[in-house]
Amino acid sequence: MTLPTPPAPGLPTVPGTVAVVAPYADRGAYAHEIGRLGGMCVAVTLPDLALPPAYASAAVADDYRDRIVHTPGLRHTVKRLRRYGVCAVVPGGPLGVQLAERLAHQLGLPGGDPATSLRRRDRGAQAAALAAYQVSAVDSLRTLRLSQAVQWARFRQKSVYVVAAADTSVRGARVCRTTAEIRSAWRERYRAAHEEAGEPAMVIQDYVPGSQYVVHSVSRPGPDGIPEHLVTEIYSGDGQLMGRGALAHRTISLYTLRVLTALGVQSGFVRCRAAWPPGRGPVLLAARAYPHASGGPGRPDLGADPFRPYRYAAHSALSALPVTCHGDSHVPAVRP
């Protein structure tokens, strides 16, 4: 992957201020990458009482030019952001997706429709959205009740995943084959979902065999406002970067473009995890509408450079610069 390089001294830079909402785990990566492009970052943080218990001691890196504490209602925050003349509002982590979209909408900036925000931050809503758009998806159930989940799994008569619905929870999906395993996974993840997300809803979905892939993409409005999506890189389950000339790369990319459209993605970085079961095409397991860098080098969702996603996200936010990819040939942005 050939990454966009920062402007050299004496070359024009991209002016602009980007507001990053709830960047509690980015280690200043967004501010660093925006600064490399000649822009500036301000952080929008949530009041302490609005944070889930797991974020009680969360801190924002010192790299941000200013910190704006969001208060109930949008008026105060929007007024502060207008003073900075922000050109984009982006989520800095899972807690920032919904608020970033609401702020962007109020400021007249690119962003997803706040009315459909759940599609971009909830696994259950994502499966429903894909089904509505006739995009291949995993059969699943979003519920608050363990008994309902157990009943659904018995009806399916196959192995299932149990996972928190909200993408704010960091606990991964657990494969369960028996009712006892479902109950155990549910209790563990239910508690974690409350601590990490403040949202206890759970998703139980069919287990999908086969290879898994992590797909990174960026989106931005085209000249006439219709979003343009670009798959920047695909990693296999063992963390290997897939060559762009591979047939599988094209198949997964085209599927991802349909997913982004179904989820209502208008701008910014999105990370999708997809599976490719035998005898079937790719299916989405989950999507996250923000970059993430925890875990270190070698992770299949990060590649060799753990801050690479922020680099793409920064270029997408300061959309005067194109995002370019390496490969056997140039692959342009694709419109839905």
Side-chain angles (χ1 to χ4, degrees):
M1 183 67 63
T2 301
L3 295 169
T5 56
L11 294 179
T13 59
V14 180
T17 299
V18 177
V20 183
V21 182
Y24 293 112
D26 78 340
R27 295 181 256 170
Y30 242 133
H32 176 71
E33 296 299 339
I34 292 291
R36 282 161 56 100
L37 298 174
M40 184 179 73
C41 261
V42 294
V44 177
T45 61
L46 305 180
D48 291 342
L49 292 178
L51 293 173
Y55 286 81
S57 60
V60 172
D62 295 332
D63 305 69
Y64 289 89
R65 174 72 175 268
D66 192 8
R67 302 181 193 183
I68 299 170
V69 179
H70 176 67
T71 54
L74 298 177
R75 184 176 178 181
H76 173 73
T77 307
V78 168
K79 184 177 180 180
R80 293 280 304 276
L81 293 178
R82 281 201 172 115
R83 290 177 183 171
Y84 277 105
V86 297
C87 64
V89 183
V90 298
L95 295 181
V97 176
Q98 183 179 27
L99 180 55
E101 293 184 346
R102 293 176 63 203
L103 291 171
H105 182 73
Q106 289 293 316
L107 292 164
L109 297 173
D113 181 356
T116 64
S117 180
L118 202 62
R119 298 180 190 175
R120 294 170 292 282
R121 56 188 178 85
D122 185 285
R123 295 176 176 91
Q126 288 168 3
L130 295 188
Y133 274 77
Q134 297 184 331
V135 178
S136 181
V138 181
D139 290 335
S140 63
L141 172 71
R142 184 184 191 275
T143 181
L144 291 166
R145 296 169 54 193
L146 173 58
S147 60
Q148 199 171 36
V150 169
Q151 184 179 13
W152 186 88
R154 286 174 177 168
F155 175 77
R156 302 298 295 177
Q157 294 186 336
K158 58 177 68 176
S159 296
V160 297
Y161 290 115
V162 175
V163 66
D167 67 2
T168 40
S169 178
V170 299
R171 297 293 178 95
R174 177 175 165 185
V175 181
C176 300
R177 297 171 177 81
T178 66
T179 297
E181 289 179 345
I182 292 173
R183 293 182 186 278
S184 173
W186 177 284
R187 294 188 182 99
E188 178 185 341
R189 279 151 182 77
Y190 188 90
R191 288 192 296 268
H194 175 72
E195 289 288 317
E196 298 161 359
E199 169 55 72
M202 302 289 289
V203 166
I204 183 169
Q205 60 184 194
D206 285 346
Y207 168 71
V208 183
S211 302
Q212 292 193 11
Y213 302 89
V214 171
V215 187
H216 292 172
S217 67
V218 289
S219 305
R220 66 183 182 189
D224 53 4
I226 298 176
E228 296 178 340
H229 307 304
L230 175 66
V231 171
T232 58
E233 54 197 356
I234 300 175
Y235 291 99
S236 60
D238 60 359
Q240 297 300 309
L241 182 65
M242 183 183 293
R244 299 186 72 84
L247 178 60
H249 191 291
R250 176 173 176 79
T251 302
I252 296 171
S253 295
L254 292 175
Y255 173 76
T256 301
L257 298 176
R258 297 184 64 205
V259 167
L260 296 174
T261 300
L263 298 184
V265 175
Q266 299 290 315
S267 62
F269 179 92
V270 175
R271 170 195 180 274
C272 295
R273 178 175 290 278
W276 194 332
R280 189 178 172 186
V283 291
L284 180 74
L285 298 179
R288 292 179 174 178
Y290 54 90
H292 183 57
S294 68
R299 284 284 302 275
D301 54 341
L302 302 173
D305 179 1
F307 293 103
R308 185 195 302 267
Y310 288 98
R311 206 158 305 159
Y312 288 120
H315 276 264
S316 177
L318 294 171
S319 56
L321 283 183
V323 175
T324 57
C325 299
H326 86 113
D328 301 326
S329 61
H330 173 65
V331 180
V334 180
R335 304 175 65 150

